[in-house]
């Protein structure tokens, strides 16, 4: 292709709304343009990358026995009513009516659709395992779409659904997908980590997320530094070793102290000159129609995902200031577990604190020398704290590292959650009716494109890994008015193209510097420059974008040399 005929609208500046590097670069390098908030057009270079990512994904899904289908975006509400999810999701689910006034939604995911398909076609154990997948646009009306393709309202997802006769079969399907995902992200040239994750609203047991490590990632993970251990988890679910009670203090007499305006842990620790580890943070929540108190050590945060799972409630939110005063007798910041007659759920670490300090349930007063078991008895002791980097790995006690990640893939064991709701059953060998056992597995195709840019860029622009680069080589003739240079450029362009090397020829009437800047910004893996020197020596200057290395190669070796430099 000749650049003078291509739509690659590069920019020098980007709109301020672009906060993360991948969003800035994809706009500047002419890969995407916004059509609406969180809704994008993929321009030609982006579409070439997406097609390569999809090709890699297809190969790995097919290798594991996946069969590709294409499901509708337009989903009838009836199926979502059968699964019980029509009323669970709020504004995020884009709903509309057809001309006959029937309710539909734009598919944010396809469990209902695929289970409805399978319940009509699968009725014997002989038909399983069955792995069906698609590459399809998904619609989720994010309140705050941001970061370009990383959190859009319309995005491309590969979603595969596995159907097995029992849990053993599901384990096998799950392992197949786990392996396939590792291959996909490795082949896309990305550094990733697999982390244990929370199965959230869709329930089910096991679930793992594939995280591309990037500081702009919205997910927080912790992982064990001990390579033999390999524990890694999304902080929503991560656990850590519970330390023993280090102090060998004896429990002292409970006392109330006047702490005027001391309403935060920070103020409390400096006012009483104690460490946060000696305090008990008491947070009041309303869970459905009950008020509960969650206790964690003062230097920790409540992990609301873990708390929500422990409470097994539908709706949970922080109690209002008015509710706190009414229930505890003191203002927010002065709550504590002593003489508090609501359900108290305490993190494991709380019972290890001897002579703790906590709110007195009286404004401007705290209690010192509080000891669990003597001064209060939690109704439940559970793991409800947010794990922090540096804490000990729960398996090998090595310190854990914190990182931010972009979730590019997730694998879930669904069990019979949807097959039971939609009565998707089969007859086993004994003719007994059983529920099909399902798994679901997603890869954010358009998100992979952005995540790859987040991990592969520098000041000059994008650095595409060879496997998914929009083109492999850009040829830059220094002076397109010089016929000899242009002829040589065309000759090299044809040689490379005829050998399956995807090449563009930058034949624009632009200064070389502009062409060099664009080549670096767009991120072609290789740039071949042809100027007067090349004509004399018939040697080509080849620059490798990832390392910046420049080598001179004789024109007749250009194909194998380029192939070896691209090897991926
Ligand atoms: C909705 C809306 C948003 C959603 C969902 C449903 C996330 C929803 C979870 C999944 C689970 C897996 C198959 C591929 C892999 C992920 N956001 N999820 O179910 F109605 Cl508005 O999508 N689905």
């Amino acid at each position: 292709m000749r650049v003078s005929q291509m739509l690659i609208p590069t920019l020098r500046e980007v709109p301020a709304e672009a906060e993360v590097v991948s969003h800035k670069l994809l706009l500047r390098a002419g890969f995407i343009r916004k059509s609406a908030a969180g809704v994008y057009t993929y321009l030609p270079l982006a579409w070439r990358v997406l097609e390569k990512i999809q090709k890699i994904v297809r190969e790995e899904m097919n290798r594991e026995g996946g069969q590709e289908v294409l499901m509708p975006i337009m989903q009838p509400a009836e199926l979502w009513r059968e699964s019980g999810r029509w009323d669970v999701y709020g504004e995020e689910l884009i709903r509309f009516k057809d001309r006959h006034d029937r309710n539909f939604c734009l598919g944010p995911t396809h469990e209902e659709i695929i289970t409805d398909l399978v319940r009509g076609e699968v009725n014997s154990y002989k038909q399983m395992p069955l792995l069906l997948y698609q590459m399809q646009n998904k619609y989720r009306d994010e309140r705050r779409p941001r970061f370009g393709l990383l959190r859009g309202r319309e995005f491309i997802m590969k979603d595969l659904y596995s159907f097995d006769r029992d849990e053993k079969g599901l384990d096998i399907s799950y392992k197949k997908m786990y392996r396939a995902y590792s291959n996909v992200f490795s082949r896309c040239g990305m550094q990733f980590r697999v982390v244990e994750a929370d199965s959230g609203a869709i329930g089910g047991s096991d679930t793992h997320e594939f995280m591309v490590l990037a500081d702009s990632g919205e997910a927080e993970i912790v992982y064990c530094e001990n390579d033999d251990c390999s524990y890694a988890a999304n902080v929503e679910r991560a656990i850590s070793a519970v330390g023993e009670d280090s102090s060998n203090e004896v429990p002292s007499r409970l006392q109330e102290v006047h702490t005027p305006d001391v309403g935060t842990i920070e103020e409390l620790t400096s006012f009483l000159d104690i460490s946060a580890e000696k305090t008990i943070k008491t947070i009041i929540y309303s869970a459905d129609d009950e008020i509960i108190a969650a206790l964690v050590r003062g230097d920790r945060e409540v992990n609301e995902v873990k708390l929500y799972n422990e409470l097994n409630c539908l709706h949970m939110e922080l109690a209002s200031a008015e509710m706190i005063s009414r229930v505890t007798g003191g203002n927010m910041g002065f709550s504590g577990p002593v003489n508090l007659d609501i359900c108290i759920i305490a993190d494991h670490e709380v019972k290890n604190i001897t002579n703790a300090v906590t709110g007195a349930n009286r404004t401007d007063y705290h209690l010192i020398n509080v000891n669990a078991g003597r001064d209060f008895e939690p109704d439940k002791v559970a793991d409800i704290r947010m794990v922090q980097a540096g804490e000990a790995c729960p398996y090998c006690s090595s310190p854990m590292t914190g990182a931010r990640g972009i979730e590019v893939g997730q694998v879930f064991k669904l069990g019979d959650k949807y097959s039971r709701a939609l009565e998707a059953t089969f007859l086993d060998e004994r003719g007994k009716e059983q529920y099909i056992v399902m798994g679901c597995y997603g890869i954010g195709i358009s998100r992979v494109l952005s995540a790859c840019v987040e991990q592969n860029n520098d000041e000059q622009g994008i650095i595409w890994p060879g496997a998914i680069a929009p083109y492999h080589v850009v040829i830059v003739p220094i002076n397109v008015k010089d016929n000899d240079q242009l002829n040589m450029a065309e000759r090299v362009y044809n040689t490379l193209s005829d050998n399956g090397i995807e090449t563009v020829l930058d034949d624009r009437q632009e200064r070389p510097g502009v062409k060099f800047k664009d080549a670096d910004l767009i991120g072609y893996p290789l740039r071949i420059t042809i100027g007067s020197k090349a004509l004399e020596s018939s040697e080509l200057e080849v620059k490798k974008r990832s390392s910046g290395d420049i080598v001179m190669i004789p024109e007749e070796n250009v194909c194998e040399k380029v192939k070896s430099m691209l090897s991926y």
Side-chain angles (χ1 to χ4, degrees), residues 185-253:
F185 299 122
S186 305
R187 289 181 60 187
C188 288
M190 311 176 87
Q191 304 296 319
F192 66 94
R193 269 188 186 270
V194 192
V195 302
E196 292 179 16
D198 179 68
S199 46
I202 68 162
S205 54
D206 271 352
T207 178
H208 287 85
E209 288 165 341
F210 287 73
M211 292 286 181
V212 165
L213 301 189
D215 293 344
S216 58
E218 290 191 310
E220 235 188 296
I221 68 169
V222 286
Y223 58 89
C224 181
E225 286 167 347
N226 172 356
D227 292 346
D228 309 341
C229 170
S230 82
Y231 176 65
N234 187 312
V235 289
E236 286 179 351
R237 161 168 175 148
I239 57 175
S240 60
V242 180
E244 285 315 309
D245 179 5
S246 49
S247 75
N248 44 21
E249 290 175 63
V250 292
S252 304
R253 189 170 55 81

Coordinates of all heavy atoms in Angstrom, one line a residue, residues 185-253:
F185 N -2.2 -14.8 24.7 CA -1.6 -13.6 25.1 C 0.0 -13.6 24.9 O 0.6 -12.6 24.6 CB -1.9 -13.3 26.6 CG -3.4 -13.1 26.8 CD1 -4.1 -13.9 27.7 CD2 -4.1 -12.2 26.0 CE1 -5.5 -13.8 27.8 CE2 -5.5 -12.0 26.2 CZ -6.2 -12.8 27.0
S186 N 0.5 -14.8 25.0 CA 2.0 -15.0 24.7 C 2.2 -14.6 23.2 O 3.1 -13.9 22.9 CB 2.5 -16.4 25.0 OG 2.2 -16.7 26.3
R187 N 1.3 -15.2 22.4 CA 1.5 -15.0 20.9 C 1.3 -13.5 20.5 O 1.8 -13.0 19.6 CB 0.6 -15.9 20.1 CG 1.0 -17.4 20.2 CD 0.0 -18.2 19.3 NE 0.0 -17.8 17.9 CZ -0.9 -18.3 17.1 NH1 -1.9 -19.2 17.4 NH2 -0.9 -17.9 15.8
C188 N 0.5 -12.8 21.4 CA 0.2 -11.4 21.1 C 1.4 -10.5 21.6 O 1.3 -9.3 21.5 CB -1.1 -10.9 21.7 SG -2.5 -11.6 20.8
G189 N 2.4 -11.2 22.2 CA 3.6 -10.5 22.7 C 3.3 -9.7 23.9 O 3.9 -8.6 24.1
M190 N 2.5 -10.2 24.8 CA 2.1 -9.5 26.0 C 2.6 -10.1 27.3 O 2.7 -11.4 27.4 CB 0.6 -9.3 26.1 CG 0.0 -8.8 24.8 SD -1.8 -8.8 24.9 CE -1.9 -7.1 25.5
Q191 N 3.1 -9.3 28.2 CA 3.4 -9.8 29.6 C 2.1 -9.9 30.4 O 1.4 -8.9 30.5 CB 4.3 -8.8 30.3 CG 5.6 -8.5 29.5 CD 6.5 -9.7 29.4 OE1 6.6 -10.5 30.3 NE2 7.0 -10.0 28.2
F192 N 1.7 -11.1 30.9 CA 0.5 -11.1 31.6 C 0.7 -12.0 32.8 O 1.6 -12.8 32.9 CB -0.6 -11.7 30.7 CG -0.4 -13.1 30.3 CD1 -0.9 -14.2 31.0 CD2 0.4 -13.4 29.2 CE1 -0.7 -15.5 30.7 CE2 0.7 -14.7 28.8 CZ 0.1 -15.8 29.6
R193 N -0.3 -11.9 33.7 CA -0.3 -12.8 34.9 C -1.8 -13.3 35.0 O -2.7 -12.6 34.8 CB 0.1 -12.1 36.2 CG 1.5 -12.2 36.4 CD 1.9 -11.6 37.8 NE 3.3 -11.6 37.9 CZ 4.0 -12.6 38.4 NH1 3.4 -13.6 38.9 NH2 5.3 -12.5 38.5
V194 N -1.9 -14.6 35.4 CA -3.2 -15.1 35.7 C -3.5 -15.0 37.2 O -2.6 -15.4 38.0 CB -3.3 -16.6 35.3 CG1 -4.8 -17.1 35.3 CG2 -2.7 -16.8 33.9
V195 N -4.6 -14.4 37.5 CA -4.9 -14.2 39.0 C -6.2 -14.9 39.3 O -7.1 -14.9 38.5 CB -4.9 -12.7 39.3 CG1 -3.6 -12.1 38.9 CG2 -6.1 -12.0 38.6
E196 N -6.3 -15.3 40.6 CA -7.6 -15.8 41.1 C -8.5 -14.6 41.2 O -8.0 -13.5 41.6 CB -7.4 -16.4 42.5 CG -6.6 -17.7 42.4 CD -6.5 -18.3 43.9 OE1 -7.2 -17.8 44.8 OE2 -5.6 -19.1 44.1
A197 N -9.8 -14.7 40.9 CA -10.7 -13.6 40.9 C -12.0 -13.9 41.6 O -12.2 -15.1 41.9 CB -10.9 -13.1 39.5
D198 N -12.8 -12.9 41.8 CA -14.1 -13.1 42.4 C -15.1 -13.4 41.4 O -15.2 -12.7 40.4 CB -14.4 -11.8 43.2 CG -15.8 -12.0 43.9 OD1 -15.8 -12.8 44.8 OD2 -16.7 -11.3 43.4
S199 N -15.9 -14.4 41.6 CA -16.9 -14.7 40.5 C -18.1 -13.8 40.5 O -18.9 -13.9 39.6 CB -17.4 -16.2 40.8 OG -17.8 -16.3 42.1
G200 N -18.1 -12.9 41.4 CA -19.1 -11.8 41.3 C -20.6 -12.3 41.1 O -20.9 -13.4 41.5
A201 N -21.3 -11.4 40.3 CA -22.7 -11.7 40.2 C -23.0 -13.0 39.5 O -24.1 -13.6 39.8 CB -23.4 -10.5 39.5
I202 N -22.1 -13.4 38.6 CA -22.5 -14.6 37.9 C -22.3 -15.8 38.7 O -22.7 -16.9 38.2 CB -21.8 -14.7 36.5 CG1 -20.3 -15.0 36.7 CG2 -21.9 -13.4 35.7 CD1 -19.7 -15.5 35.5
G203 N -21.8 -15.7 39.9 CA -21.7 -16.9 40.7 C -20.8 -17.9 40.1 O -19.9 -17.6 39.4
G204 N -21.0 -19.1 40.5 CA -20.1 -20.2 40.0 C -18.9 -20.2 41.0 O -18.8 -19.4 41.9
S205 N -18.0 -21.2 40.8 CA -17.0 -21.3 41.8 C -15.7 -20.7 41.3 O -15.4 -19.5 41.4 CB -16.8 -22.8 42.1 OG -16.6 -23.4 40.8
D206 N -14.9 -21.5 40.6 CA -13.6 -21.1 40.2 C -13.7 -19.9 39.2 O -14.6 -19.9 38.3 CB -12.8 -22.2 39.4 CG -12.0 -23.0 40.4 OD1 -11.9 -22.6 41.6 OD2 -11.5 -24.0 40.0
T207 N -12.8 -19.0 39.2 CA -12.7 -18.0 38.1 C -11.3 -17.4 38.2 O -10.8 -17.2 39.3 CB -13.8 -16.9 38.2 OG1 -13.6 -16.0 37.1 CG2 -13.8 -16.2 39.5
H208 N -10.8 -17.2 37.0 CA -9.4 -16.6 36.9 C -9.5 -15.5 35.9 O -10.3 -15.5 35.0 CB -8.4 -17.6 36.4 CG -8.0 -18.6 37.5 ND1 -8.8 -19.8 37.7 CD2 -7.0 -18.7 38.4 CE1 -8.2 -20.5 38.7 NE2 -7.2 -19.8 39.1
E209 N -8.7 -14.5 36.1 CA -8.6 -13.3 35.2 C -7.1 -13.3 34.6 O -6.2 -13.5 35.4 CB -8.9 -12.0 35.9 CG -10.3 -11.9 36.3 CD -10.6 -10.7 37.3 OE1 -9.6 -10.4 38.0 OE2 -11.7 -10.3 37.4
F210 N -7.1 -13.0 33.4 CA -5.8 -12.8 32.7 C -5.5 -11.3 32.7 O -6.2 -10.6 32.1 CB -5.8 -13.4 31.3 CG -5.8 -14.9 31.3 CD1 -6.9 -15.6 31.7 CD2 -4.6 -15.7 31.0 CE1 -6.9 -17.0 31.8 CE2 -4.6 -17.1 31.1 CZ -5.8 -17.7 31.5
M211 N -4.4 -10.9 33.4 CA -4.1 -9.5 33.6 C -2.9 -9.1 32.8 O -1.8 -9.7 33.0 CB -3.9 -9.2 35.1 CG -5.1 -9.4 35.9 SD -6.2 -8.0 35.6 CE -7.5 -8.4 36.8
V212 N -3.0 -8.1 32.0 CA -1.8 -7.5 31.4 C -1.3 -6.4 32.3 O -2.1 -5.5 32.7 CB -2.2 -6.8 30.0 CG1 -1.1 -5.9 29.5 CG2 -2.5 -7.9 29.0
L213 N -0.1 -6.5 32.8 CA 0.4 -5.6 33.8 C 0.6 -4.2 33.2 O 1.3 -4.1 32.2 CB 1.7 -6.2 34.4 CG 1.6 -7.5 35.1 CD1 2.8 -7.9 35.8 CD2 0.4 -7.6 36.0
A214 N 0.0 -3.2 33.8 CA 0.2 -1.9 33.3 C -0.3 -0.9 34.4 O -1.3 -1.1 35.0 CB -0.7 -1.6 32.0
D215 N 0.5 0.2 34.6 CA 0.2 1.1 35.6 C -1.2 1.7 35.4 O -1.9 2.2 36.4 CB 1.2 2.2 35.7 CG 2.6 1.6 36.2 OD1 2.5 0.5 36.7 OD2 3.6 2.2 35.9
S216 N -1.7 1.8 34.2 CA -3.0 2.4 33.9 C -4.1 1.4 34.1 O -5.3 1.7 33.9 CB -3.0 2.9 32.5 OG -2.8 1.7 31.6
G217 N -3.7 0.1 34.5 CA -4.8 -0.9 34.7 C -5.7 -0.5 35.8 O -5.3 0.1 36.8
E218 N -7.0 -0.8 35.6 CA -8.0 -0.5 36.6 C -8.0 -1.5 37.7 O -8.5 -1.3 38.8 CB -9.4 -0.3 36.0 CG -9.5 0.9 35.1 CD -11.0 1.2 34.7 OE1 -11.6 0.3 34.2 OE2 -11.4 2.3 34.9
A219 N -7.5 -2.7 37.4 CA -7.6 -3.8 38.4 C -6.3 -3.8 39.3 O -5.2 -3.4 38.8 CB -7.7 -5.2 37.7
E220 N -6.5 -4.1 40.5 CA -5.3 -4.2 41.5 C -5.1 -5.7 41.8 O -6.1 -6.4 42.1 CB -5.7 -3.4 42.7 CG -4.7 -2.4 43.1 CD -5.0 -1.8 44.5 OE1 -6.1 -1.2 44.6 OE2 -4.2 -2.0 45.4
I221 N -3.9 -6.1 41.6 CA -3.6 -7.5 41.9 C -2.4 -7.6 42.9 O -1.7 -6.6 43.1 CB -3.2 -8.3 40.7 CG1 -1.9 -7.9 40.1 CG2 -4.3 -8.2 39.6 CD1 -1.4 -8.8 39.0
V222 N -2.3 -8.7 43.6 CA -1.1 -9.0 44.4 C -0.6 -10.3 43.9 O -1.4 -11.2 43.5 CB -1.3 -9.0 45.9 CG1 -1.6 -7.7 46.5 CG2 -2.5 -10.0 46.3
Y223 N 0.8 -10.5 43.9 CA 1.3 -11.8 43.5 C 2.5 -12.1 44.4 O 3.2 -11.2 44.8 CB 1.5 -11.9 42.0 CG 2.5 -10.9 41.5 CD1 3.9 -11.2 41.4 CD2 2.1 -9.7 40.9 CE1 4.8 -10.2 40.9 CE2 2.9 -8.8 40.4 CZ 4.3 -9.0 40.4 OH 5.2 -8.1 39.9
C224 N 2.7 -13.4 44.6 CA 3.8 -13.8 45.4 C 5.1 -13.7 44.7 O 5.2 -14.1 43.5 CB 3.6 -15.2 45.9 SG 5.0 -15.8 46.9
E225 N 6.2 -13.1 45.3 CA 7.5 -12.9 44.6 C 8.2 -14.2 44.5 O 9.1 -14.4 43.6 CB 8.3 -11.9 45.4 CG 7.8 -10.5 45.3 CD 8.5 -9.6 46.3 OE1 9.1 -10.1 47.2 OE2 8.4 -8.3 46.1
N226 N 7.8 -15.2 45.3 CA 8.5 -16.5 45.2 C 8.0 -17.3 44.0 O 6.9 -17.7 43.9 CB 8.2 -17.3 46.5 CG 8.7 -18.7 46.5 OD1 9.2 -19.2 45.5 ND2 8.5 -19.4 47.6
D227 N 8.9 -17.4 43.0 CA 8.5 -18.0 41.7 C 7.9 -19.4 41.9 O 7.1 -19.8 41.1 CB 9.7 -18.0 40.8 CG 10.0 -16.6 40.4 OD1 9.2 -15.7 40.6 OD2 11.1 -16.3 39.8
D228 N 8.4 -20.1 42.9 CA 7.9 -21.5 43.0 C 6.5 -21.5 43.5 O 5.8 -22.5 43.4 CB 8.8 -22.3 44.1 CG 10.3 -22.1 43.8 OD1 10.5 -21.8 42.6 OD2 11.1 -22.3 44.7
C229 N 6.1 -20.4 44.1 CA 4.7 -20.4 44.7 C 3.7 -20.0 43.7 O 2.7 -20.6 43.6 CB 4.7 -19.4 45.9 SG 3.1 -19.1 46.5
S230 N 3.8 -18.9 42.9 CA 3.0 -18.5 41.9 C 1.6 -18.1 42.3 O 0.6 -18.1 41.5 CB 2.8 -19.6 40.8 OG 1.8 -20.5 41.2
Y231 N 1.4 -17.8 43.6 CA 0.1 -17.3 44.1 C -0.1 -15.9 43.5 O 0.8 -15.1 43.6 CB 0.0 -17.2 45.6 CG -1.3 -16.6 46.1 CD1 -2.6 -17.3 45.8 CD2 -1.4 -15.4 46.7 CE1 -3.8 -16.7 46.2 CE2 -2.6 -14.8 47.1 CZ -3.8 -15.5 46.9 OH -5.0 -14.9 47.2
A232 N -1.3 -15.7 42.9 CA -1.6 -14.3 42.4 C -3.1 -14.2 42.4 O -3.8 -15.1 42.1 CB -1.1 -14.2 40.9
A233 N -3.5 -13.0 42.8 CA -5.0 -12.8 42.9 C -5.4 -11.4 42.8 O -4.6 -10.5 43.1 CB -5.5 -13.3 44.3
N234 N -6.6 -11.2 42.3 CA -7.2 -9.8 42.2 C -7.4 -9.5 43.7 O -7.9 -10.3 44.5 CB -8.5 -9.9 41.4 CG -9.1 -8.6 41.2 OD1 -9.2 -7.8 42.1 ND2 -9.5 -8.3 40.0
V235 N -7.1 -8.2 44.1 CA -7.3 -7.9 45.5 C -8.7 -8.0 46.0 O -9.0 -8.2 47.1 CB -6.8 -6.4 45.8 CG1 -5.3 -6.3 45.7 CG2 -7.5 -5.4 44.9
E236 N -9.7 -8.1 45.0 CA -11.1 -8.3 45.4 C -11.2 -9.6 46.2 O -12.1 -9.8 47.0 CB -12.0 -8.3 44.2 CG -12.2 -7.0 43.6 CD -13.1 -7.1 42.3 OE1 -13.4 -8.3 41.9 OE2 -13.5 -6.1 41.8
R237 N -10.3 -10.5 45.8 CA -10.4 -11.9 46.4 C -9.2 -12.3 47.2 O -9.2 -13.3 47.9 CB -10.7 -12.8 45.2 CG -10.4 -14.2 45.5 CD -10.8 -15.2 44.5 NE -10.4 -16.5 44.9 CZ -11.1 -17.6 44.6 NH1 -12.2 -17.4 44.0 NH2 -10.6 -18.7 44.9
A238 N -8.1 -11.6 47.0 CA -6.8 -12.0 47.5 C -6.8 -12.2 49.0 O -7.5 -11.5 49.8 CB -5.7 -11.0 47.2
I239 N -6.1 -13.2 49.5 CA -6.0 -13.5 50.9 C -4.5 -13.4 51.3 O -3.6 -13.4 50.4 CB -6.5 -14.9 51.3 CG1 -5.8 -16.0 50.5 CG2 -8.0 -15.0 51.1 CD1 -6.2 -17.4 51.0
S240 N -4.2 -13.2 52.6 CA -2.8 -13.2 53.1 C -2.7 -13.9 54.4 O -3.7 -14.2 55.1 CB -2.4 -11.7 53.3 OG -3.3 -11.1 54.2
A241 N -1.5 -14.2 54.8 CA -1.3 -14.9 56.1 C -1.8 -14.0 57.2 O -1.5 -12.8 57.1 CB 0.1 -15.3 56.2
V242 N -2.5 -14.6 58.2 CA -2.9 -13.7 59.3 C -1.8 -13.8 60.4 O -1.4 -14.9 60.9 CB -4.2 -14.3 60.0 CG1 -4.6 -13.4 61.2 CG2 -5.3 -14.3 58.9
G243 N -1.1 -12.7 60.7 CA 0.0 -12.7 61.6 C -0.5 -13.0 63.0 O -1.7 -12.9 63.3
E244 N 0.4 -13.5 63.8 CA 0.0 -13.8 65.2 C 0.1 -12.6 66.0 O 0.6 -11.6 65.6 CB 1.0 -14.9 65.8 CG 0.8 -16.3 65.3 CD -0.7 -16.6 65.3 OE1 -1.4 -16.5 66.3 OE2 -1.2 -17.0 64.2
D245 N -0.5 -12.6 67.2 CA -0.5 -11.4 68.1 C 1.0 -11.1 68.6 O 1.5 -11.9 69.4 CB -1.4 -11.6 69.3 CG -1.4 -10.3 70.2 OD1 -0.7 -9.4 69.8 OD2 -2.0 -10.4 71.2
S246 N 1.6 -10.1 68.0 CA 3.1 -9.9 68.3 C 3.2 -9.5 69.8 O 4.1 -10.0 70.5 CB 3.6 -8.9 67.4 OG 2.7 -7.7 67.5
S247 N 2.3 -8.6 70.3 CA 2.6 -8.1 71.6 C 2.3 -9.2 72.7 O 1.4 -9.9 72.5 CB 1.6 -6.9 71.9 OG 0.3 -7.5 72.1
N248 N 3.1 -9.2 73.7 CA 2.7 -10.2 74.8 C 2.1 -9.4 76.0 O 2.4 -9.7 77.1 CB 4.0 -11.0 75.2 CG 5.1 -10.0 75.3 OD1 4.9 -8.8 75.5 ND2 6.4 -10.6 75.3
E249 N 1.4 -8.3 75.6 CA 0.7 -7.5 76.6 C -0.3 -8.3 77.4 O -0.9 -9.3 76.8 CB 0.0 -6.3 76.0 CG 0.8 -5.2 75.4 CD -0.1 -4.2 74.7 OE1 -0.9 -3.6 75.3 OE2 0.0 -4.2 73.4
V250 N -0.6 -7.9 78.6 CA -1.8 -8.5 79.2 C -3.0 -7.6 79.1 O -2.8 -6.4 79.0 CB -1.5 -8.8 80.7 CG1 -0.5 -9.9 80.9 CG2 -1.1 -7.5 81.4
P251 N -4.2 -8.1 79.0 CA -5.3 -7.2 78.8 C -5.5 -6.3 80.0 O -5.4 -6.7 81.1 CB -6.5 -8.2 78.7 CG -5.9 -9.5 78.3 CD -4.6 -9.5 78.9
S252 N -5.6 -5.0 79.7 CA -5.7 -4.0 80.8 C -7.2 -3.5 80.9 O -8.0 -4.0 80.2 CB -4.9 -2.8 80.5 OG -3.5 -3.2 80.3
R253 N -7.4 -2.6 81.9 CA -8.8 -2.2 82.2 C -9.3 -1.4 81.1 O -8.7 -0.4 80.7 CB -8.8 -1.4 83.6 CG -10.2 -1.1 84.2 CD -10.0 -0.6 85.6 NE -9.1 0.6 85.6 CZ -9.5 1.8 85.3 NH1 -10.8 2.0 84.9 NH2 -8.7 2.8 85.3

